């Protein structure tokens, strides 16, 4: 396998992962970013802890999807992350239901 073949393979894998992300992002409520991984999740519990004068973060996710090109199973039931690095948690905005025509439900 040439270097170009390997680069093309990696590019194809990343594109497939992006397409999967685009297809599943609407199923989740939160985007979570850590130093090592990017997650989509429906439940997030972030706790700030300290031990021996050091502050760290303990993160528990449920019903999650992991952005990792090398994982064969990206959907996971639960994830626990412990890190000394920053953690970013964002709630995704749910798009309004569009039935076409641009009108809201009558009351």
């Amino acid at each position: 396998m040439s270097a170009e073949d390997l680069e093309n393979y990696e590019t194809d894998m990343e594109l497939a992962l992006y397409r999967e992300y685009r297809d599943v992002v609407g199923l989740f409520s939160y985007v979570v970013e850590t130093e090592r991984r990017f997650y989509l999740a429906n439940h997030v519990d972030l706790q700030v802890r300290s031990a021996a004068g050091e502050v760290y973060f303990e993160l528990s996710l449920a019903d999650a999807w992991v952005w990792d090109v090398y994982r064969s199973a990206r959907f996971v039931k639960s994830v626990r992350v412990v890190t000394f690095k920053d953690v970013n948690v964002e709630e995704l905005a749910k798009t309004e239901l569009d039935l076409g025509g641009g009108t809201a439900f009558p009351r």
Side-chain angles (χ1 to χ4, degrees):
M1 180 179 270
S2 72
E4 184 178 340
D5 290 339
L6 182 58
E7 187 174 323
N8 288 339
Y9 173 76
E10 288 178 347
T11 300
D12 290 345
M13 293 279 292
E14 289 174 5
L15 181 57
L17 182 62
Y18 170 75
R19 287 180 176 150
E20 183 178 328
Y21 164 82
R22 185 188 61 204
D23 291 344
V24 302
V25 68
L27 302 172
F28 296 94
S29 299
Y30 298 94
V31 173
V32 179
E33 188 176 3
T34 68
E35 175 192 11
R36 296 189 58 205
R37 295 272 192 291
F38 178 87
Y39 303 90
L40 298 172
N42 282 321
H43 176 77
V44 176
D45 180 33
L46 177 63
Q47 300 292 320
V48 179
R49 309 273 192 213
S50 63
E54 296 289 329
V55 174
Y56 66 95
F57 302 99
E58 186 174 346
L59 180 64
S60 297
L61 308 175
D63 186 22
W65 182 88
V66 184
W67 180 289
D68 187 340
V69 73
Y70 299 107
R71 279 182 76 102
S72 59
R74 285 183 270 280
F75 288 97
V76 291
K77 184 176 180 178
S78 64
V79 177
R80 181 173 173 259
V81 177
V82 177
T83 182
F84 288 94
K85 303 290 184 176
D86 290 342
V87 175
N88 185 44
V89 178
E90 295 180 32
E91 187 170 5
L92 292 169
K94 294 295 181 186
T95 58
E96 292 184 27
L97 181 60
D98 182 17
L99 298 177
T103 60
F105 289 113
R107 293 186 187 233

